[in-house]
């Protein structure tokens, strides 16, 4: 019997990829939080109602790309 020519992804590589994916999601969340805080600050300075972003969750594309 011959061995399979298809290479297997090692656990180390999968762990690195997962770590990178999580880091990118955390970075995106921080970026969105800064945007929201800046929008609320501008609204407070203008005397208007605070800005509430209903869909401030993680982007749908990031979950689908996993």
């Amino acid at each position: 019997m011959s061995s399979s020519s298809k290479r297997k992804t090692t656990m180390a590589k999968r762990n690195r990829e997962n770590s990178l994916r999580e880091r990118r999601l955390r970075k995106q969340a921080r970026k969105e939080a800064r945007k929201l805080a800046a929008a609320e600050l501008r609204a407070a300075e203008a005397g208007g109602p605070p800005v509430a972003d209903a869909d401030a969750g993680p982007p749908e594309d990031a979950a689908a790309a996993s």
Side-chain angles (χ1 to χ4, degrees), residues 23 25-35:
R23 225 179 8 238
L25 288 174
R26 284 192 302 267
K27 182 177 179 180
Q28 184 67 28
R30 283 194 309 267
K31 183 178 178 181
E32 290 173 1
R34 282 194 308 269
K35 274 186 182 179

Side-chain angles (χ1 to χ4, degrees), residues 38-51:
E40 288 176 350
L41 181 62
R42 282 194 302 272
E45 288 176 351
V51 176

Side-chain angles (χ1 to χ4, degrees), residues 54-65:
D55 53 3
E60 301 298 324
D61 298 338

Side-chain angles (χ1 to χ4, degrees), residues 1-63:
M1 278 195 155
S2 63
S3 64
S4 174
S5 63
K6 183 176 178 179
R7 289 200 166 256
K8 305 271 186 205
T9 301
T10 63
M11 286 301 293
K13 181 175 180 178
R14 293 178 68 185
N15 288 337
R16 285 192 304 270
E17 291 170 346
N18 288 337
S19 173
L20 179 62
R21 192 174 303 116
E22 289 171 3
R23 225 179 8 238
R24 287 177 178 162
L25 288 174
R26 284 192 302 267
K27 182 177 179 180
Q28 184 67 28
R30 283 194 309 267
K31 183 178 178 181
E32 290 173 1
R34 282 194 308 269
K35 274 186 182 179
L36 185 58
E40 288 176 350
L41 181 62
R42 282 194 302 272
E45 288 176 351
V51 176
D53 194 5
D55 53 3
E60 301 298 324
D61 298 338

